[in-house]
Amino acid sequence: MTTDDRIPQHDGAAKRPPQPERAYAAAARRCAAAEYCRSDWHTRFRRQGFDPTTAKALVDRLESEGYINEDRYIRAFVHDKAAYDGWTARKISMALARKGLDAQRVQTAIDEGIDSDQQMALLEACLRRALSKGRADEDPRKTTARAIRAAAAKGFAPADIYRMLRTMTAETPDDD
């Protein structure tokens, strides 16, 4: 069973059959306003009731006419997720891999679009925010564990998290 076989189809009894030209025009309008990749539209067309061959033909046409450009999509995705959502390179890479995009092109976009100093500042901010949410009567190990989970959920590598925690702890004066 392929992925396409598992995509739910519209019930043909109450609905008219999908119209490729109409679907293409709507997709072109959406692509003119935002970036999409091939897999996004292939899935959408399949959900609209198109067979795999027709869905592929529609996606190929969107790409040949410049509405879909996967390199452009990858660069935009990397930029938006890193700059606005605070995602790490690791999390971005995993998200794009789930969409079936070429790992080498993804890595190139990540190398060009993500600043490691900015990522470390983001990690520090994430940890400080999570640590500040601990109650005064709470076990510090629980607060630290919560902060580690929060940073890991953003996609930070465990080694970077622990290194940053050690740095932050060294900067904090003792309460002697």
Side-chain angles (χ1 to χ4, degrees), residues 131-157:
L131 290 169
S132 72
K133 291 181 180 179
R135 295 186 321 263
D137 62 337
E138 185 176 43
D139 182 357
R141 291 176 298 188
K142 264 184 136 171
T143 305
T144 302
R146 186 181 313 111
I148 291 169
R149 285 192 305 274
K154 287 274 192 185
F156 290 102

mmCIF file of all heavy atoms in Angstrom, residues 131-157:
data_model
loop_
_atom_site.group_PDB
_atom_site.id
_atom_site.type_symbol
_atom_site.label_atom_id
_atom_site.label_comp_id
_atom_site.label_asym_id
_atom_site.label_seq_id
_atom_site.Cartn_x
_atom_site.Cartn_y
_atom_site.Cartn_z
ATOM 1 N N LEU A 131 13.835 28.217 32.803
ATOM 2 C CA LEU A 131 14.334 28.205 34.187
ATOM 3 C C LEU A 131 13.614 29.230 35.053
ATOM 4 O O LEU A 131 13.411 29.014 36.244
ATOM 5 C CB LEU A 131 15.840 28.453 34.211
ATOM 6 C CG LEU A 131 16.714 27.309 33.672
ATOM 7 C CD1 LEU A 131 18.150 27.778 33.502
ATOM 8 C CD2 LEU A 131 16.631 26.082 34.569
ATOM 9 N N SER A 132 13.225 30.345 34.469
ATOM 10 C CA SER A 132 12.558 31.395 35.241
ATOM 11 C C SER A 132 11.149 31.001 35.664
ATOM 12 O O SER A 132 10.571 31.607 36.556
ATOM 13 C CB SER A 132 12.520 32.701 34.447
ATOM 14 O OG SER A 132 11.599 32.588 33.381
ATOM 15 N N LYS A 133 10.595 29.977 35.030
ATOM 16 C CA LYS A 133 9.238 29.552 35.348
ATOM 17 C C LYS A 133 9.188 28.635 36.574
ATOM 18 O O LYS A 133 8.115 28.281 37.022
ATOM 19 C CB LYS A 133 8.609 28.845 34.152
ATOM 20 C CG LYS A 133 8.330 29.786 33.005
ATOM 21 C CD LYS A 133 7.684 29.069 31.860
ATOM 22 C CE LYS A 133 7.421 30.052 30.726
ATOM 23 N NZ LYS A 133 6.816 29.412 29.582
ATOM 24 N N GLY A 134 10.359 28.258 37.093
ATOM 25 C CA GLY A 134 10.387 27.393 38.268
ATOM 26 C C GLY A 134 9.940 28.145 39.513
ATOM 27 O O GLY A 134 10.235 29.325 39.684
ATOM 28 N N ARG A 135 9.216 27.451 40.373
ATOM 29 C CA ARG A 135 8.777 28.053 41.630
ATOM 30 C C ARG A 135 9.923 28.022 42.624
ATOM 31 O O ARG A 135 10.815 27.174 42.560
ATOM 32 C CB ARG A 135 7.585 27.277 42.186
ATOM 33 C CG ARG A 135 6.353 27.358 41.293
ATOM 34 C CD ARG A 135 5.146 26.704 41.945
ATOM 35 N NE ARG A 135 5.445 25.486 42.682
ATOM 36 C CZ ARG A 135 5.307 24.247 42.207
ATOM 37 N NH1 ARG A 135 4.871 24.076 40.976
ATOM 38 N NH2 ARG A 135 5.573 23.200 42.950
ATOM 39 N N ALA A 136 9.901 28.907 43.591
ATOM 40 C CA ALA A 136 10.962 29.000 44.590
ATOM 41 C C ALA A 136 11.045 27.732 45.431
ATOM 42 O O ALA A 136 12.141 27.311 45.816
ATOM 43 C CB ALA A 136 10.744 30.210 45.486
ATOM 44 N N ASP A 137 9.898 27.084 45.692
ATOM 45 C CA ASP A 137 9.899 25.886 46.529
ATOM 46 C C ASP A 137 10.080 24.596 45.730
ATOM 47 O O ASP A 137 10.060 23.510 46.286
ATOM 48 C CB ASP A 137 8.603 25.813 47.345
ATOM 49 C CG ASP A 137 7.365 25.709 46.465
ATOM 50 O OD1 ASP A 137 7.436 26.115 45.283
ATOM 51 O OD2 ASP A 137 6.327 25.240 46.974
ATOM 52 N N GLU A 138 10.277 24.720 44.417
ATOM 53 C CA GLU A 138 10.418 23.546 43.558
ATOM 54 C C GLU A 138 11.863 23.052 43.556
ATOM 55 O O GLU A 138 12.804 23.840 43.640
ATOM 56 C CB GLU A 138 9.996 23.901 42.124
ATOM 57 C CG GLU A 138 9.995 22.726 41.175
ATOM 58 C CD GLU A 138 9.473 23.091 39.798
ATOM 59 O OE1 GLU A 138 9.850 24.162 39.280
ATOM 60 O OE2 GLU A 138 8.682 22.318 39.263
ATOM 61 N N ASP A 139 12.022 21.750 43.448
ATOM 62 C CA ASP A 139 13.350 21.146 43.356
ATOM 63 C C ASP A 139 14.049 21.688 42.101
ATOM 64 O O ASP A 139 13.496 21.614 41.001
ATOM 65 C CB ASP A 139 13.204 19.624 43.261
ATOM 66 C CG ASP A 139 14.527 18.878 43.203
ATOM 67 O OD1 ASP A 139 15.587 19.533 43.184
ATOM 68 O OD2 ASP A 139 14.492 17.633 43.189
ATOM 69 N N PRO A 140 15.257 22.248 42.241
ATOM 70 C CA PRO A 140 15.962 22.814 41.079
ATOM 71 C C PRO A 140 16.201 21.792 39.964
ATOM 72 O O PRO A 140 16.251 22.157 38.793
ATOM 73 C CB PRO A 140 17.288 23.304 41.651
ATOM 74 C CG PRO A 140 17.116 23.340 43.125
ATOM 75 C CD PRO A 140 15.993 22.437 43.473
ATOM 76 N N ARG A 141 16.321 20.525 40.330
ATOM 77 C CA ARG A 141 16.527 19.491 39.296
ATOM 78 C C ARG A 141 15.293 19.371 38.408
ATOM 79 O O ARG A 141 15.415 19.145 37.207
ATOM 80 C CB ARG A 141 16.862 18.148 39.939
ATOM 81 C CG ARG A 141 18.245 18.158 40.601
ATOM 82 C CD ARG A 141 18.508 16.886 41.309
ATOM 83 N NE ARG A 141 17.486 16.755 42.372
ATOM 84 C CZ ARG A 141 17.504 15.821 43.300
ATOM 85 N NH1 ARG A 141 18.454 14.924 43.321
ATOM 86 N NH2 ARG A 141 16.560 15.772 44.224
ATOM 87 N N LYS A 142 14.118 19.537 38.990
ATOM 88 C CA LYS A 142 12.885 19.501 38.200
ATOM 89 C C LYS A 142 12.816 20.678 37.238
ATOM 90 O O LYS A 142 12.445 20.539 36.071
ATOM 91 C CB LYS A 142 11.664 19.552 39.133
ATOM 92 C CG LYS A 142 11.059 18.245 39.473
ATOM 93 C CD LYS A 142 9.826 18.468 40.313
ATOM 94 C CE LYS A 142 8.719 17.592 39.822
ATOM 95 N NZ LYS A 142 7.566 17.609 40.721
ATOM 96 N N THR A 143 13.189 21.841 37.721
ATOM 97 C CA THR A 143 13.189 23.034 36.886
ATOM 98 C C THR A 143 14.191 22.879 35.742
ATOM 99 O O THR A 143 13.892 23.205 34.592
ATOM 100 C CB THR A 143 13.538 24.279 37.725
ATOM 101 O OG1 THR A 143 12.637 24.349 38.832
ATOM 102 C CG2 THR A 143 13.428 25.550 36.907
ATOM 103 N N THR A 144 15.371 22.360 36.064
ATOM 104 C CA THR A 144 16.396 22.146 35.042
ATOM 105 C C THR A 144 15.927 21.121 34.017
ATOM 106 O O THR A 144 16.117 21.307 32.807
ATOM 107 C CB THR A 144 17.720 21.702 35.688
ATOM 108 O OG1 THR A 144 18.127 22.705 36.619
ATOM 109 C CG2 THR A 144 18.803 21.506 34.645
ATOM 110 N N ALA A 145 15.311 20.041 34.474
ATOM 111 C CA ALA A 145 14.810 19.013 33.554
ATOM 112 C C ALA A 145 13.754 19.601 32.621
ATOM 113 O O ALA A 145 13.733 19.294 31.415
ATOM 114 C CB ALA A 145 14.233 17.846 34.342
ATOM 115 N N ARG A 146 12.887 20.461 33.145
ATOM 116 C CA ARG A 146 11.867 21.110 32.320
ATOM 117 C C ARG A 146 12.528 21.994 31.264
ATOM 118 O O ARG A 146 12.111 22.022 30.100
ATOM 119 C CB ARG A 146 10.917 21.936 33.190
ATOM 120 C CG ARG A 146 9.756 22.501 32.403
ATOM 121 C CD ARG A 146 8.794 23.351 33.218
ATOM 122 N NE ARG A 146 8.395 22.775 34.484
ATOM 123 C CZ ARG A 146 8.757 23.264 35.678
ATOM 124 N NH1 ARG A 146 9.517 24.336 35.770
ATOM 125 N NH2 ARG A 146 8.346 22.697 36.792
ATOM 126 N N ALA A 147 13.570 22.706 31.656
ATOM 127 C CA ALA A 147 14.279 23.572 30.716
ATOM 128 C C ALA A 147 14.948 22.745 29.618
ATOM 129 O O ALA A 147 14.930 23.126 28.441
ATOM 130 C CB ALA A 147 15.315 24.415 31.462
ATOM 131 N N ILE A 148 15.525 21.619 29.997
ATOM 132 C CA ILE A 148 16.172 20.737 29.013
ATOM 133 C C ILE A 148 15.135 20.214 28.019
ATOM 134 O O ILE A 148 15.373 20.204 26.803
ATOM 135 C CB ILE A 148 16.906 19.579 29.725
ATOM 136 C CG1 ILE A 148 18.120 20.128 30.479
ATOM 137 C CG2 ILE A 148 17.319 18.493 28.737
ATOM 138 C CD1 ILE A 148 18.760 19.141 31.435
ATOM 139 N N ARG A 149 13.972 19.799 28.518
ATOM 140 C CA ARG A 149 12.916 19.312 27.619
ATOM 141 C C ARG A 149 12.431 20.410 26.676
ATOM 142 O O ARG A 149 12.179 20.168 25.496
ATOM 143 C CB ARG A 149 11.748 18.748 28.427
ATOM 144 C CG ARG A 149 12.028 17.390 29.042
ATOM 145 C CD ARG A 149 10.757 16.736 29.585
ATOM 146 N NE ARG A 149 10.041 17.555 30.540
ATOM 147 C CZ ARG A 149 10.280 17.604 31.847
ATOM 148 N NH1 ARG A 149 11.248 16.882 32.366
ATOM 149 N NH2 ARG A 149 9.550 18.368 32.638
ATOM 150 N N ALA A 150 12.319 21.626 27.181
ATOM 151 C CA ALA A 150 11.869 22.742 26.341
ATOM 152 C C ALA A 150 12.871 23.007 25.219
ATOM 153 O O ALA A 150 12.477 23.216 24.065
ATOM 154 C CB ALA A 150 11.687 24.004 27.187
ATOM 155 N N ALA A 151 14.159 22.993 25.547
ATOM 156 C CA ALA A 151 15.186 23.228 24.531
ATOM 157 C C ALA A 151 15.241 22.069 23.533
ATOM 158 O O ALA A 151 15.400 22.288 22.328
ATOM 159 C CB ALA A 151 16.540 23.433 25.200
ATOM 160 N N ALA A 152 15.092 20.847 24.023
ATOM 161 C CA ALA A 152 15.104 19.686 23.122
ATOM 162 C C ALA A 152 13.914 19.728 22.173
ATOM 163 O O ALA A 152 14.030 19.366 21.001
ATOM 164 C CB ALA A 152 15.101 18.400 23.935
ATOM 165 N N ALA A 153 12.774 20.199 22.658
ATOM 166 C CA ALA A 153 11.583 20.299 21.805
ATOM 167 C C ALA A 153 11.788 21.300 20.676
ATOM 168 O O ALA A 153 11.197 21.157 19.603
ATOM 169 C CB ALA A 153 10.370 20.696 22.638
ATOM 170 N N LYS A 154 12.616 22.304 20.901
ATOM 171 C CA LYS A 154 12.930 23.276 19.842
ATOM 172 C C LYS A 154 13.922 22.697 18.838
ATOM 173 O O LYS A 154 14.147 23.274 17.787
ATOM 174 C CB LYS A 154 13.535 24.545 20.447
ATOM 175 C CG LYS A 154 12.541 25.408 21.170
ATOM 176 C CD LYS A 154 11.860 26.324 20.201
ATOM 177 C CE LYS A 154 11.077 27.393 20.930
ATOM 178 N NZ LYS A 154 10.329 28.199 20.015
ATOM 179 N N GLY A 155 14.559 21.563 19.191
ATOM 180 C CA GLY A 155 15.476 20.913 18.271
ATOM 181 C C GLY A 155 16.941 21.096 18.600
ATOM 182 O O GLY A 155 17.805 20.736 17.808
ATOM 183 N N PHE A 156 17.254 21.646 19.753
ATOM 184 C CA PHE A 156 18.652 21.823 20.123
ATOM 185 C C PHE A 156 19.268 20.476 20.477
ATOM 186 O O PHE A 156 18.607 19.622 21.085
ATOM 187 C CB PHE A 156 18.789 22.792 21.307
ATOM 188 C CG PHE A 156 18.465 24.204 20.951
ATOM 189 C CD1 PHE A 156 17.242 24.757 21.296
ATOM 190 C CD2 PHE A 156 19.369 24.986 20.251
ATOM 191 C CE1 PHE A 156 16.930 26.061 20.962
ATOM 192 C CE2 PHE A 156 19.061 26.284 19.900
ATOM 193 C CZ PHE A 156 17.839 26.828 20.256
ATOM 194 N N ALA A 157 20.532 20.296 20.121
ATOM 195 C CA ALA A 157 21.254 19.061 20.409
ATOM 196 C C ALA A 157 21.534 18.976 21.910
ATOM 197 O O ALA A 157 21.849 19.997 22.540
ATOM 198 C CB ALA A 157 22.560 19.027 19.632
#
